[in-house]
Amino acid sequence: VSETAPSQEIESLEVGLKQRLFNDRFEYSLAVYDMDWTSMLSGSALVVQTSATNTTPLILTGVLIPGDSHLQGIEFEGTALITDNWDVNLRLDLMETEYVTFFQPFVAQLTSQTSRFDGNTLPRVPQRSGSLSSTYRGRINADWRWFLRGDVNYTGKAWDSEANIVQTDDFTRVNLRVGFERENLSVELYAKNLFDDDSWDYGFRSVSFREPGGQQFVTIPAAALPPGSAPTVGFQQGMIVQPPDKRAIGLRIKYEF
């Protein structure tokens, strides 16, 4: 174990294209990239013995483990002016990730002591995401204007850990706004997460510091280990998840003076 982590290095090749078409009523950007990430750091935890005479185990957290990975993907964003009052924006991110070499002992107790995860997908990174938004604007009279805007945001599935054991669900959330504006005053009615989607924002595996009365350390039986292995000590693990914001409907008034 080293006191310092190695420097991370990224070799990246990216080709992009930006263009405006149809008298500037449509513009888009497209990027294709390929990336090699050397010494990519990942957090881990280990069970260690405190001393030669004290057999009580200790969870050592904050350990950084380097590994090599490969990432490639496509990013697209386009905006179209359908009419003078109506615009539409589309964004797409498509990504493929893979560990080239990676060692992670944190989840070994869940994988029959397998700790090499070469070829697995990087965790906590959705491979697919995108959004579609549109705004329509109009005028009520010489002083007042109005607008209607909708946003649809999609987030793809993501793995919990380098072992690729559990995936969070993909989800789609919708936001809506309608507003009225004049020179120094705006009134807006909004709805966030309009359909009250309750999917987790994200999730990742971590040490489960015990609940009152619970056990922090567990004995992993030989039956769960490779043939010929002796029982060993592990620790409780759990998933840390981020709940979404519930549906929110409100009124926003802004006055400038």
Side-chain angles (χ1 to χ4, degrees), residues 8 37 40-45 63-65 67 69 71 95-99 102-104 106-107 117 120-129 155-169 171 200-207 237-242:
Q8 302 184 67
W37 195 336
M40 180 180 184
L41 298 179
S42 178
S44 185
V63 179
L64 295 177
I65 298 179
S69 62
L71 302 85
M95 180 189 301
E96 296 293 337
T97 65
E98 180 183 44
Y99 280 114
F102 192 76
F103 169 77
Q104 173 58 285
F106 173 66
V107 292
F117 300 108
N120 280 14
T121 300
L122 270 64
R124 302 177 291 279
V125 179
Q127 307 292 289
R128 306 287 184 267
S129 63
T155 301
K157 297 180 179 181
W159 290 105
D160 66 318
S161 66
E162 295 80 4
N164 292 177
I165 299 173
V166 177
Q167 273 187 315
T168 54
D169 292 333
F171 57 87
W200 302 118
D201 282 351
Y202 61 86
F204 61 94
R205 189 168 297 278
S206 182
V207 176
Q237 295 189 26
M239 287 282 292
I240 295 178
V241 293
Q242 173 65 44

Side-chain angles (χ1 to χ4, degrees), residues 56-168:
T56 301
L58 173 70
I59 296 179
L60 182 63
T61 60
V63 179
L64 295 177
I65 298 179
D68 300 336
S69 62
H70 180 252
L71 302 85
Q72 57 184 7
I74 299 175
E75 297 176 345
F76 172 84
E77 184 172 3
T79 301
L81 189 61
I82 308 300
T83 70
D84 291 343
N85 298 324
W86 182 20
D87 65 68
V88 177
N89 176 270
L90 174 66
R91 180 187 61 82
L92 294 172
D93 292 327
L94 309 177
M95 180 189 301
E96 296 293 337
T97 65
E98 180 183 44
Y99 280 114
V100 178
T101 58
F102 192 76
F103 169 77
Q104 173 58 285
F106 173 66
V107 292
Q109 67 188 54
L110 305 176
T111 58
S112 297
Q113 296 304 300
T114 298
S115 54
R116 288 297 299 264
F117 300 108
D118 305 354
N120 280 14
T121 300
L122 270 64
R124 302 177 291 279
V125 179
Q127 307 292 289
R128 306 287 184 267
S129 63
S131 66
L132 176 66
S133 60
S134 182
T135 304
Y136 192 91
R137 301 173 180 85
R139 184 171 286 276
I140 300 174
N141 54 39
D143 296 323
W144 284 92
R145 303 176 302 276
W146 67 274
F147 70 89
L148 175 65
R149 178 180 176 87
D151 303 288
V152 180
N153 300 292
Y154 171 78
T155 301
K157 297 180 179 181
W159 290 105
D160 66 318
S161 66
E162 295 80 4
N164 292 177
I165 299 173
V166 177
Q167 273 187 315
T168 54

Side-chain angles (χ1 to χ4, degrees), residues 186-223:
S186 66
V187 180
E188 178 183 292
L189 177 66
Y190 66 87
K192 296 182 178 180
N193 194 8
L194 178 62
F195 299 108
D196 205 21
D197 175 75
D198 59 1
S199 304
W200 302 118
D201 282 351
Y202 61 86
F204 61 94
R205 189 168 297 278
S206 182
V207 176
S208 178
F209 292 103
R210 61 181 178 179
E211 298 178 359
Q215 289 186 335
Q216 186 171 5
F217 297 97
V218 294
T219 300
I220 304 174

